[in-house]
Amino acid sequence: MCLKLNTKFLEKFISKEDYLKLEKKVKSVFKALHLKTGLGNEFLGWLDLPENYDKKEISEINKISEELKLSTEVLIVIGVGGSYLGSKACIEFLKSQNYNLSKKDTPDIFFVGNNLSADYINEILKICKNKNVSISVISKSGNTLEVLTVFSIFKKFLEKKYNKKELKKRIFIITSDNSNKLRNLAFKESYRIFYIPKDIGGRYSVLTPAGLFPIAVCGGNVNLILGGAKKARKDFLKNNLNNLCNKYAVIRNIMYRKGEIIEILVGYEPCLFSLFEWWKQLFAESEGKNQKGLFPSSCIFTTDLHSLGQYIQDGPKILFETNLIIKKTKTNKYKKISDLNKKAFEATILAHSSDGVPNIILNLNNNSEFELGYLIYFFQKSCAISGYLLDINPFDQPGVKKYKDNLNNTMILN
Ligand code: PA5
């Protein structure tokens, strides 16, 4: 298995009885998930996606990525929430936070449409000025205001640079196969469309073209990512407490019931930063409902040990830490630094747990595509089970919808 869970530092906080009390319930929600009888069961397409994905579509994505290597210096991804966090997370995990600055034969990538800052857009447009640019617009609903607004700006920018024929080779729409503003425009202009399956929600869509297209363009091997997810799907089919997804979900539930209402995902590699942002969206949007749910937070150590570390050590005892440790670094160089990083982890976990902060460890072998796919599937399935343990629907987002509706109404009023 490429992922292992170590609960050594949890033993004094959780008893065997705590686990046993939840055994029956976790087995029953696991069953409901697989029989598709639970809440939100119309959004379970991600569960078997690693087996069922559209192979033709993936080879098309790979083919286009090769073409874009030659034609494109900058890829602009326009999307928000689940429509950009997954690809950003994977590209940084596989390559680096400094991907754009590195020497490579793939395009730079910039993410827009995830804010409404005029300065930010202006800055990216300036960067693009004398470059060959392609655009990928990603929105499952095809109606999200930030995305459509920012797309209209970048579309105009591209129209000034290229003729209609060339635009068709440079604008890629990723949406659902429902009538929506984005899909309708794509039909009208004959832009290339990739589809997000109807039964997969935004934050579960990283293994669909929504995540895979930008990853492939940036040189990630999407077949290997799907291979890792496929292995995880197989590994996590058994309905018992040894199943890592069940176990992690149960631990989270016990922590929540004991009043540790914040989970901090901790890592010691900066390339995990955006993966943690993706994880926060997955869990916050899935579980924060009906006045329930752990608040997902994240830290990169040792950086945050010099700021948030103080609160974790001595602040209110309302949190626990999940350490995501990558065993093998990408480089073989600087062994001394890697040893020191390991020592920092050991010192921190000892310090925190000795002062009453529960800790668990997820050990991942390395930063490869395969491990990444495995990890993504693990978190997605754990999240679904964890949500069901709280008796909420992990697949809707009524709170996000409220804000979106208000913003749309404001636009209409003005
Ligand atoms: O998980 C979700 O459903 C949301 O966070 C969406 O991903 C986000 O709101 C963007 O929506 P859309 O892809 O429809 O533009």
Side-chain angles (χ1 to χ4, degrees):
M1 242 193 238
C2 20
L3 184 71
K4 287 195 182 117
L5 173 67
N6 179 340
T7 55
K8 188 170 104 188
F9 291 92
L10 198 65
E11 277 154 16
K12 62 178 182 196
F13 302 100
I14 292 191
S15 67
K16 227 174 164 185
E17 287 68 50
D18 288 326
Y19 286 113
L20 289 177
K21 266 188 223 156
L22 277 171
E23 193 175 3
K24 206 167 143 213
K25 174 133 188 179
V26 80
K27 282 187 177 166
S28 116
V29 305
F30 185 98
K31 207 166 153 197
L33 183 66
H34 280 274
L35 292 176
K36 300 194 175 21
T37 53
L39 293 167
N41 54 11
E42 66 275 36
F43 292 110
L44 292 176
W46 56 272
L47 198 58
D48 293 325
L49 181 76
E51 289 285 350
N52 295 344
Y53 67 90
D54 184 340
K55 317 282 180 299
K56 232 176 98 195
E57 192 168 51
I58 295 299
S59 40
E60 182 70 5
I61 285 178
N62 285 329
K63 196 176 137 240
I64 292 175
S65 311
E66 285 304 312
E67 289 164 11
L68 292 187
K69 263 190 200 173
L70 304 175
S71 70
T72 300
E73 292 165 287
V74 176
L75 175 72
I76 297 292
V77 171
I78 308 176
V80 67
S83 289
Y84 92 103
L85 279 166
S87 59
K88 190 166 191 291
C90 293
I91 293 161
E92 288 183 16
F93 178 92
L94 295 169
K95 308 288 174 183
S96 150
Q97 275 192 309
N98 298 318
Y99 166 79
N100 281 347
L101 299 172
S102 66
K103 203 162 166 251
K104 58 194 181 301
D105 62 354
T106 47
D108 285 349
I109 189 163
F110 291 96
F111 295 89
V112 297
N114 55 70
N115 61 57
L116 289 168
S117 160
D119 284 342
Y120 182 78
I121 291 166
N122 191 38
E123 196 180 304
I124 305 294
L125 282 168
K126 271 194 195 157
I127 293 171
C128 292
K129 196 163 175 237
N130 296 314
K131 301 262 169 69
N132 279 317
V133 178
S134 294
I135 291 181
S136 169
V137 195
I138 309 176
S139 174
K140 176 156 186 225
S141 64
N143 293 324
T144 302
L145 186 128
E146 288 99 318
V147 177
L148 295 181
T149 311
V150 173
F151 177 37
S152 71
I153 296 171
F154 277 84
K155 185 167 171 282
K156 277 192 197 112
F157 172 80
L158 244 65
E159 281 165 351
K160 281 193 194 139
K161 262 176 160 339
Y162 304 110
N163 63 29
K164 278 206 158 198
K165 196 175 159 214
E166 189 64 20
L167 280 182
K168 285 183 204 162
K169 294 185 198 158
R170 293 186 176 272
I171 297 183
F172 302 91
I173 306 295
I174 303 175
T175 185
S176 63
D177 194 8
N178 289 330
S179 174
N180 66 57
K181 287 182 187 158
L182 196 56
R183 194 198 66 161
N184 298 347
L185 176 83
F187 279 172
K188 193 172 142 237
E189 306 274 3
S190 308
Y191 296 145
R192 182 73 175 84
I193 308 184
F194 291 105
Y195 288 113
I196 304 173
K198 285 182 190 142
D199 55 359
I200 300 184
R203 58 190 172 278
Y204 277 81
S205 69
V206 51
L207 300 177
T208 74
L212 298 181
F213 183 80
I215 296 169
V217 174
C218 292
N221 185 326
V222 298
N223 294 80
L224 286 177
I225 295 176
L226 287 162
K230 185 174 167 180
K231 174 82 169 69
R233 184 193 161 276
K234 198 166 159 243
D235 284 355
F236 302 137
L237 277 177
K238 287 217 172 94
N239 190 4
N240 57 38
L241 263 183
N242 290 329
N243 182 323
L244 230 57
C245 298
N246 277 347
K247 186 138 189 205
Y248 177 48
V250 163
I251 290 171
R252 298 182 84 253
N253 194 274
I254 298 170
M255 288 288 103
Y256 177 67
R257 284 167 199 264
K258 285 185 187 284
E260 321 286 353
I261 57 162
I262 298 171
E263 176 181 15
I264 306 181
L265 190 59
V266 169
Y268 285 76
E269 298 291 337
C271 72
L272 290 171
F273 183 86
S274 288
L275 186 75
F276 288 5
E277 295 302 305
W278 168 82
W279 173 88
K280 283 192 264 190
Q281 188 212 1
L282 178 67
F283 280 90
E285 229 172 38
S286 299
E287 292 196 317
K289 281 158 209 173
N290 303 350
Q291 321 272 310
K292 293 183 197 173
L294 286 162
F295 182 82
S297 173
S298 67
C299 283
I300 298 293
F301 291 165
T302 62
T303 316
D304 292 323
L305 283 173
H306 298 260
S307 59
L308 294 170
Q310 174 60 39
Y311 188 99
I312 299 169
Q313 185 81 40
D314 286 338
K317 295 290 166 256
I318 51 169
L319 47 88
F320 73 101
E321 290 168 287
T322 298
N323 297 269
L324 180 62
I325 302 301
I326 300 172
K327 273 164 61 190
K328 198 171 174 307
T329 52
K330 288 179 211 160
T331 178
N332 292 326
K333 292 182 191 160
Y334 310 112
K335 199 175 166 308
K336 246 187 178 168
I337 287 278
S338 290
D339 290 345
L340 209 54
N341 206 15
K342 196 166 168 256
K343 290 237 154 50
F345 161 58
E346 287 162 4
T348 307
I349 203 165
L350 270 180
H352 290 181
S353 57
S354 68
D355 264 349
V357 181
N359 265 266
I360 59 172
I361 307 161
L362 287 168
N363 281 305
L364 189 70
N365 284 345
N366 56 48
N367 279 78
S368 74
E369 275 99 342
F370 191 86
E371 323 287 309
L372 177 60
Y374 197 95
L375 185 70
I376 285 169
Y377 191 89
F378 162 75
F379 277 136
Q380 288 182 336
K381 189 162 185 180
S382 304
C383 182
I385 297 167
S386 186
Y388 278 168
L389 284 177
L390 290 173
D391 298 312
I392 52 95
N393 177 355
F395 306 112
D396 65 358
Q397 52 285 326
V400 176
K401 193 175 167 306
K402 229 176 211 172
Y403 137 75
K404 280 188 176 180
D405 290 349
N406 276 350
L407 186 60
N408 284 330
N409 289 341
T410 316
M411 298 296 290
I412 293 159
L413 286 177
N414 292 332

